[in-house]
Amino acid sequence: MSEMRTEEEQVEALKGWWKENGKSLVIMIAIALSAVFGWKTWQQKQLTDAETASITYQNLLDAVSATVGKDSADQVATSQHLGSLLKAEHESTEYARFAALLMARIDVDQEKYSEALQELDWVLAHKPSAEMQNIVLLRKARIYQAMGEFEKGLSVVVELKGKEFSASASELKGDLLLASGKNVEARRAYQQAIELSGNAEKNPLLTMKLEDLATSEEG
Amino acid sequence: MLQSIRDSSQSIVAKVIVGLIIVTFALFGVESLVSLTAESNAPATVNGEEITQQELYQATELQRRQLLSQMGENADPALLDDSLVSSMVLDSLIEQKSLLLAAEDKNMLISERMIDQMIINTPDFQVEGQFNRDRFEATLRNAGFTPLSYRNLLKKERLIEQERNAYQLSAFVIPAELKRIITLDRQTRDISYFIFPLDDVEKNLTVSDEEINAKYEAERTSLMTEEQVAIEYILLNKNDLRDNVVVSEEELKAQYDQFRVSFQAEDQRHVAHILVEITPDQDDAAALAKVVALQARIKAGEEFSIVASTDSDDIGSSAAGGDLGTNGKGVFADAFEQAMYSLDVNQVSEPVRTEFGYHLIKVMGITKAETPSFAEIKQDLTDDILTRKVENIYVERLELMADITFSSGDLIEPSEVMNLPVMTSKPFGRSGGDLDITQNAKVIGAAFSSDLIQDKLNSSVIELDRERTVVVRVKAYSEPREQTLAEVADELKQQLIKDQASEVLALKAQEAVDQINAGEAVDQVAQGQLVVNLEAVSRASGELPIEVRSVAFALANPDSLKSVVSSAELPDGSVAVVLLKKVNMTEVQLTDEETQSMGAFLGSRIGQQEYQSLVAELKNAAEIEKK
């Protein structure tokens, strides 16, 4: 800048530079701006999506709790509508999996066992957490019991992992064995369940089931 | 030197550094630098996320308040073990954090907008059905929250609740299991039992001095006396002050004059009404139309009470012809009250609108009130004045008591000044003595404090209740010590006899069980003890000892004709021999309602169990560090 230039010369130089670089500069700025803007919009959309899912789920909970303990075809229909909405439009969210769990319960209430199994299998197919998977398996086994398919139920129980669920698994195994007429094995399973739960007083029903099977040959 | 700083601050490197600082501040705020230097003192971390000291403090405070309010009026905050409460709270915070982190991992979300909605819809924050900002803030302040911390709390609670509900609400019980459990629960059993009493065996047992001696030597270190204090105290009782207070005739007169001025002759009115409710099915206009029609019928000569009994929506009064009885002011809604006080006897009002709907009101009678005479209320006035005077004296004396007991080294001077006798208690332990004063938790706490035991100070004033206040000091303190043989010989002897008797009884019961199993008659085996025969005993039956009942229900189902037998020890040491003769399975017939309500109950039980297992799994999976 120290050289003596006239103003015109400087303007000329700027113009020249602009001619050479102007286009790419504008494009760069445009790209940068749209990238930032796009990112923000995407984030916002994610957030709104999650929010919508959360609100829909909350409404679903209200509808389902209104079905508990009474006949209410309206609420069942509302629940099913909200549930399938969540499953269809927010398929990969936790809320969709929750919805499927709730739908399964509504199906069981109406004794539509194979539909309930479909809902639970949907959950299993959509990457549930390990804990959720365990609970789903317990419920599947219980549904097989209701359908009279004790062998299938037993094979589901075997898939359960996780030490906190082992007591429930054993108890359910006992139920299934008893239902298929294997009293001695059932008794063993109940006993195991009591040992695993560590505290029999927490579960008086389990104790009741075991005591009813007290057989003379085992004292 | 300044020049060199100037020069180097112009350099590219310096500019880059300043630029970085600007960017960091702009994006992350001052905290980003401060938090780097502040040392973390979090009491625990879950998966690397901290539970802060602040969180722990707040939650502990909340818990303390809840505990104190549960313990009631007599609670002494000092008795709550702080470290215990805080470790309990920390555990629950860790659990909460594990759940929250898991929920966030799963991209669950409660948005700010949802929290706004929740807050606006909370009845506690509403005034007349509308959200009220002042009410909101005042309520939070009372509970020790700021709006921000409350929002945070809501968010956490709601997130966890979303997950919990997902599992609990989706749990179910299948019909076969429901039926089985109910059948089991309702089964009854036919049993017999008889009791070998402990006393009978004890009577025939003797223990030698050597045995007692041996037991004493073996256990002497654990045979300690209790730590005890004997206290002396002065007691200020409001009721004692009453006798020395007189109320003069002039005071009474003055009080009566005051009363007469303030007494407003307020008459009472006997009214009846007809209500036309505003409901979702019947809006305001429809209700008004209906009430006008009713009014016209009454004007045309129909009896008010008959119209009320056929057309009033107030089920409480319609059967009685709308009669609401005789009432004064302040009972009914404002508009209703105005109308009823503006009517004459037997007049019917225009339609009156209240929150319930439209009313037609009829006054059936008016009871005039008259100012009571001096003689009539003399007793009440005397009591009022007396109470007020006594209250004043009590407060004065209380202050005097606090001052003087604080400054003196014993209770002699306070006793003289206040003219209260120094009383003494018998020695008592931490579980309290035989006086109501020595049973008071605050007194016990003070008496066993080091201020009183070691420093021999007077306690501060302790309010026992609204009427009584004490100041105590420790008169004598006895440390725990080993008891002598003479002191415990009787007790040891009793124990020895009881132990031996129990052994004998256990053998005897086993023998009886064997004999019955071998086919001997129960009456024979009972050796003269009363054999109780019960049929159809339920699981909840109260007609037999609990221990006998639980043994009877744990016994195996007897096959064919043979009973099964076992024995049970009763709380007093006696032993019962129990025979199970028959299990009665009744076919359970449940109504649909029963099936639904019990199904819901059992289902939610299963759901709770599943959720508890899930929480435990999550906690196991989380990396938890406690300091």
Side-chain angles (χ1 to χ4, degrees):
Chain A
M1 298 283 140
S2 56
E3 281 146 63
M4 312 263 260
R5 276 203 212 166
T6 62
E7 260 174 45
E8 282 103 75
E9 272 174 328
Q10 285 186 23
V11 170
E12 267 317 300
L14 266 178
K15 272 187 181 163
W17 183 84
W18 181 252
K19 222 172 226 169
E20 220 167 285
N21 300 312
K23 219 179 222 171
S24 57
L25 185 72
V26 168
I27 290 173
M28 290 282 277
I29 290 176
I31 289 176
L33 278 179
S34 56
V36 168
F37 186 71
W39 169 250
K40 288 257 176 201
T41 326
W42 186 77
Q43 254 187 335
Q44 189 55 44
K45 183 178 157 8
Q46 287 301 94
L47 212 64
T48 329
D49 272 1
E51 188 188 29
T52 318
S54 180
I55 292 174
T56 313
Y57 170 66
Q58 206 66 45
N59 293 338
L60 173 63
L61 281 181
D62 291 342
V64 175
S65 46
T67 68
V68 176
K70 40 191 161 315
D71 283 318
S72 44
D74 282 0
Q75 298 293 351
V76 168
T78 313
S79 309
Q80 276 164 341
H81 168 71
L82 290 172
S84 36
L85 193 74
L86 270 171
K87 279 169 61 189
E89 293 187 3
H90 305 276
E91 190 176 342
S92 61
T93 64
E94 187 76 356
Y95 294 118
R97 292 184 279 267
F98 287 164
L101 287 180
L102 290 163
M103 309 294 285
R105 183 245 158 97
I106 290 180
D107 288 334
V108 171
D109 279 352
Q110 301 171 332
E111 307 199 2
K112 295 181 187 160
Y113 297 119
S114 48
E115 280 92 332
L117 279 179
Q118 277 170 18
E119 296 288 351
L120 294 180
D121 283 331
W122 189 93
V123 178
L124 290 179
H126 283 78
K127 301 187 193 126
S129 63
E131 311 87 57
M132 187 186 265
Q133 177 164 354
N134 280 329
I135 289 180
V136 171
L137 290 176
L138 280 176
R139 291 183 180 174
K140 270 184 80 174
R142 208 169 268 129
I143 293 174
Y144 279 127
Q145 190 191 342
M147 297 168 86
E149 307 208 34
F150 309 127
E151 285 306 317
K152 276 192 185 161
L154 284 169
S155 68
V156 172
V157 171
V158 177
E159 289 177 47
L160 265 144
K161 297 172 197 79
K163 106 172 182 305
E164 302 293 339
F165 288 97
S166 56
S168 304
S170 288
E171 183 177 349
L172 197 50
K173 191 172 152 195
D175 291 346
L176 286 159
L177 285 167
L178 183 72
S180 44
K182 296 175 181 161
N183 291 13
V184 179
E185 281 111 315
R187 182 182 155 76
R188 224 171 277 143
Y190 287 143
Q191 252 166 351
Q192 203 185 9
I194 283 191
E195 280 159 27
L196 287 168
S197 70
N199 181 2
E201 277 161 28
K202 263 198 321 207
N203 194 346
L205 292 185
L206 176 57
T207 318
M208 202 160 86
K209 288 180 191 170
L210 175 67
E211 282 176 351
D212 188 60
L213 279 184
T215 46
S216 10
E217 70 251 47
E218 285 182 77
Chain B
M1 163 164 168
L2 280 176
Q3 187 55 45
S4 73
I5 292 179
R6 235 183 102 79
D7 287 346
S8 46
S9 70
Q10 302 283 329
S11 75
I12 297 282
V13 177
K15 278 181 185 158
V16 167
I17 291 176
V18 170
L20 277 179
I21 292 177
I22 289 172
V23 170
T24 327
F25 268 43
L27 291 181
F28 308 108
V30 188
E31 280 165 44
S32 56
L33 292 188
V34 178
S35 67
L36 285 179
T37 52
E39 193 173 322
S40 145
N41 60 347
T45 60
V46 178
N47 287 348
E49 292 253 347
E50 290 179 353
I51 289 168
T52 63
Q53 198 77 45
Q54 176 71 8
E55 276 176 89
L56 177 61
Y57 175 76
Q58 265 183 353
T60 311
E61 265 312 293
L62 206 65
Q63 179 73 14
R64 267 174 66 95
R65 277 194 218 182
Q66 275 166 3
L67 283 174
L68 284 177
S69 71
Q70 277 166 15
M71 285 157 74
E73 203 184 328
N74 209 6
D76 179 4
L79 288 182
L80 271 185
D81 186 342
D82 274 342
S83 60
L84 198 69
V85 175
S86 120
S87 86
M88 255 163 49
V89 170
L90 184 60
D91 280 342
S92 75
L93 282 180
I94 289 176
E95 184 177 306
Q96 196 191 42
K97 195 78 161 187
S98 324
L99 289 173
L100 277 176
L101 289 176
E104 279 167 18
D105 261 3
K106 292 166 196 156
N107 291 321
M108 289 172 59
L109 173 94
I110 299 293
S111 70
E112 295 298 319
R113 252 195 300 173
M114 294 169 78
I115 295 177
D116 288 342
Q117 272 306 314
M118 277 179 242
I119 289 178
I120 288 175
N121 291 331
T122 306
D124 283 349
F125 304 146
Q126 290 174 350
V127 174
E128 289 169 4
Q130 285 289 316
F131 174 71
N132 180 303
R133 177 114 217 139
D134 295 335
R135 177 67 162 273
F136 171 62
E137 280 169 3
T139 313
L140 290 195
R141 249 197 319 278
N142 277 341
F145 286 107
T146 63
L148 194 68
S149 67
Y150 181 69
R151 294 179 74 94
N152 261 330
L153 182 82
L154 264 189
K155 193 173 192 168
K156 287 180 190 168
E157 281 185 345
R158 191 44 81 94
L159 261 184
I160 292 177
E161 201 182 286
Q162 277 195 333
E163 182 161 45
R164 187 176 58 228
N165 275 335
Y167 294 107
Q168 291 195 349
L169 207 53
S170 64
F172 52 82
V173 62
I174 58 168
E177 182 166 24
L178 179 64
K179 195 163 177 200
R180 170 155 170 247
I181 284 172
I182 291 171
T183 315
L184 279 180
D185 187 52
R186 298 202 178 161
Q187 100 180 180
T188 61
R189 298 187 163 203
D190 296 351
I191 66 165
S192 302
Y193 71 92
F194 56 87
I195 295 174
F196 288 137
L198 187 70
D199 299 353
D200 289 2
V201 186
E202 280 182 344
K203 260 187 288 183
N204 304 325
L205 285 174
T206 47
V207 204
S208 68
D209 287 347
E210 284 80 46
E211 281 173 291
I212 296 174
N213 232 328
K215 191 171 170 67
Y216 176 72
E217 288 305 326
E219 292 177 10
R220 64 186 300 168
T221 48
S222 58
L223 296 170
M224 304 291 278
T225 61
E226 207 194 351
E227 175 189 32
Q228 284 192 322
V229 291
I231 57 168
E232 41 186 22
Y233 58 92
I234 53 175
L235 173 68
L236 180 61
N237 192 330
K238 203 187 276 182
N239 293 328
D240 294 345
L241 302 174
R242 254 186 140 78
D243 303 339
N244 303 324
V245 179
V246 278
V247 179
S248 69
E249 202 67 17
E250 286 84 51
E251 284 174 303
L252 276 174
K253 282 266 157 42
Q255 182 81 5
Y256 180 67
D257 287 342
Q258 237 177 30
F259 168 76
R260 218 171 35 185
V261 174
S262 65
F263 183 84
Q264 285 177 340
E266 186 180 87
D267 51 2
Q268 297 208 316
R269 298 195 163 215
H270 182 190
V271 289
H273 82 143
I274 297 170
L275 171 68
V276 179
E277 267 184 319
I278 297 172
T279 59
D281 299 334
Q282 175 169 298
D283 65 8
D284 197 308
L288 183 60
K290 185 176 170 196
V291 84
V292 170
L294 295 179
Q295 189 184 20
R297 277 166 59 190
I298 293 165
K299 275 199 183 136
E302 272 191 64
E303 196 62 44
F304 187 91
S305 60
I306 293 172
V307 178
S309 59
T310 53
D311 288 278
S312 175
D313 290 335
D314 178 11
I315 8 171
S317 70
S318 62
D323 197 337
L324 293 171
T326 306
N327 289 289
K329 286 192 174 168
V331 178
F332 301 113
D334 287 344
F336 193 103
E337 186 173 293
Q338 261 174 20
M340 92 188 216
Y341 272 94
S342 62
L343 294 171
D344 289 332
V345 178
N346 286 331
Q347 212 182 345
V348 177
S349 72
E350 292 295 307
V352 176
R353 170 86 156 82
T354 68
E355 56 185 303
F356 305 106
Y358 285 98
H359 306 260
L360 292 174
I361 305 164
K362 181 181 179 185
V363 172
M364 325 263 287
I366 298 176
T367 324
K368 286 273 181 232
E370 279 174 30
T371 317
S373 71
F374 180 63
E376 271 173 345
I377 59 163
K378 187 175 171 190
Q379 192 54 46
D380 288 346
L381 289 178
T382 319
D383 286 347
D384 282 354
I385 299 175
L386 209 60
T387 308
R388 208 169 54 223
K389 282 186 160 185
V390 166
E391 189 61 44
N392 286 339
I393 300 176
Y394 183 66
V395 171
E396 263 170 43
R397 305 255 298 162
L398 204 61
E399 280 170 16
L400 177 67
M401 185 165 163
D403 284 347
I404 195 161
T405 52
F406 180 74
S407 56
S408 38
D410 53 33
L411 288 177
I412 298 169
E413 193 200 343
S415 143
E416 279 165 5
V417 174
M418 303 211 41
N419 196 19
L420 292 170
V422 177
M423 323 265 270
T424 335
S425 82
K426 282 189 216 151
F428 60 91
R430 282 181 191 269
S431 52
D434 50 0
L435 301 170
D436 67 338
I437 293 178
T438 52
Q439 274 164 11
N440 183 290
K442 291 183 230 170
V443 171
I444 296 172
F448 282 95
S449 69
S450 66
D451 279 357
L452 266 66
I453 290 175
Q454 276 156 27
D455 304 341
K456 307 262 177 215
L457 299 178
N458 288 334
S459 75
S460 51
V461 288
I462 299 171
E463 269 187 84
L464 298 177
D465 47 42
R466 283 166 187 278
E467 270 90 37
R468 298 176 309 155
T469 304
V470 286
V471 170
V472 308
R473 65 184 278 111
V474 170
K475 193 179 180 207
Y477 170 74
S478 44
E479 277 182 32
R481 63 169 170 77
E482 244 175 51
Q483 287 175 293
T484 63
L485 177 58
E487 279 173 317
V488 289
D490 277 350
E491 207 180 302
L492 289 179
K493 187 174 169 188
Q494 284 308 317
Q495 266 177 30
L496 279 169
I497 290 183
K498 192 168 181 187
D499 290 349
Q500 289 181 14
S502 295
E503 271 173 47
V504 173
L505 267 188
L507 278 177
K508 201 169 158 184
Q510 187 54 50
E511 215 170 280
V513 169
D514 292 343
Q515 282 168 345
I516 296 173
N517 277 336
E520 284 190 43
V522 180
D523 290 323
Q524 213 98 53
V525 179
Q527 301 176 2
Q529 300 299 340
L530 176 69
V531 177
V532 183
N533 295 301
L534 295 172
E535 275 177 19
V537 174
S538 75
R539 282 184 193 271
S541 170
E543 56 185 333
L544 68 174
I546 296 170
E547 294 76 14
V548 173
R549 193 180 69 206
S550 43
V551 165
F553 274 93
L555 280 171
N557 194 343
D559 28 314
S560 65
L561 301 165
K562 212 164 159 248
S563 327
V564 290
V565 199
S566 182
S567 61
E569 196 180 332
L570 302 179
D572 70 348
S574 304
V575 174
V577 174
V578 187
L579 283 83
L580 171 60
K581 293 184 285 195
K582 196 167 148 244
V583 173
N584 312 305
M585 291 284 204
T586 39
E587 187 60 31
V588 181
Q589 287 300 336
L590 290 176
T591 62
D592 281 355
E593 270 170 46
E594 278 178 310
T595 315
Q596 268 171 352
S597 69
M598 289 191 193
F601 170 73
L602 275 177
S604 79
R605 239 189 88 91
I606 292 175
Q608 264 168 29
Q609 232 172 31
E610 288 172 338
Y611 181 69
Q612 276 167 9
S613 304
L614 173 131
V615 171
E617 280 286 279
L618 279 178
K619 247 174 105 171
N620 290 349
E623 264 179 53
I624 294 164
E625 275 177 49
K626 275 205 242 182
K627 277 186 193 150

